Amino acid sequence: QVQLVESGGELVQPGGSLRLSCAASSSIFSGKAMGWYRQAPGKERELVAVITSGGSTNYADSVKGRFTISRDNAKNTVYLQMNSLRPEDTAVYYCNTVVPIKNAWGQGTQDTVSS
């Protein structure tokens, strides 16, 4: 079964932190580079963080130095630690493989940064 389930999003004040989680089915996760994507209102979905199966990471310039992606291969889970959050980080956050599997997109998790 192809499945991705994101969680952890909530309302947070500017400057705050959140940790998102994405539980994946093993058929998606094992040996694959995973990414966190986000889609803000009225904008296209964008890739913000990538982690390879070996743990190498890469980030969009907009989140570099503030977000950290990690993975637990034993739990088929990928995480996104988000610090120093800004209102422009408000979006629905999704995970998927770096080359997205079209029928695997989950519901996403809403992160709202507002005072």
Side-chain angles (χ1 to χ4, degrees), residues 4 27-29 32-37 47 50 95-102 104-105:
L4 292 162
S27 61
I28 295 175
F29 189 88
K32 301 218 179 40
M34 297 296 296
W36 277 100
Y37 301 75
L47 178 63
V50 170
C95 66
N96 206 323
T97 51
V98 171
V99 180
I101 300 172
K102 288 185 179 180
W105 290 107

Side-chain angles (χ1 to χ4, degrees), residues 10-103:
E10 60 183 66
L11 173 64
V12 63
Q13 292 188 343
S17 297
L18 278 179
R19 189 192 195 208
L20 307 183
S21 299
C22 171
S25 55
S26 59
S27 61
I28 295 175
F29 189 88
S30 297
K32 301 218 179 40
M34 297 296 296
W36 277 100
Y37 301 75
R38 69 184 181 187
Q39 187 166 20
K43 296 187 177 181
E44 292 189 357
R45 186 149 44 194
E46 61 172 339
L47 178 63
V48 296
V50 170
I51 187 165
T52 68
S53 58
S56 297
T57 59
N58 204 359
Y59 301 91
D61 288 343
S62 58
V63 306
K64 198 172 293 183
R66 300 187 298 121
F67 289 11
T68 302
I69 188 171
S70 60
R71 65 191 290 160
D72 185 332
N73 291 333
K75 295 181 178 179
N76 292 341
T77 300
V78 60
Y79 304 97
L80 187 66
Q81 178 66 43
M82 305 188 295
N83 299 327
S84 302
L85 283 163
R86 304 167 180 169
E88 54 264 39
D89 295 319
T90 295
V92 179
Y93 284 74
Y94 304 86
C95 66
N96 206 323
T97 51
V98 171
V99 180
I101 300 172
K102 288 185 179 180
N103 66 345

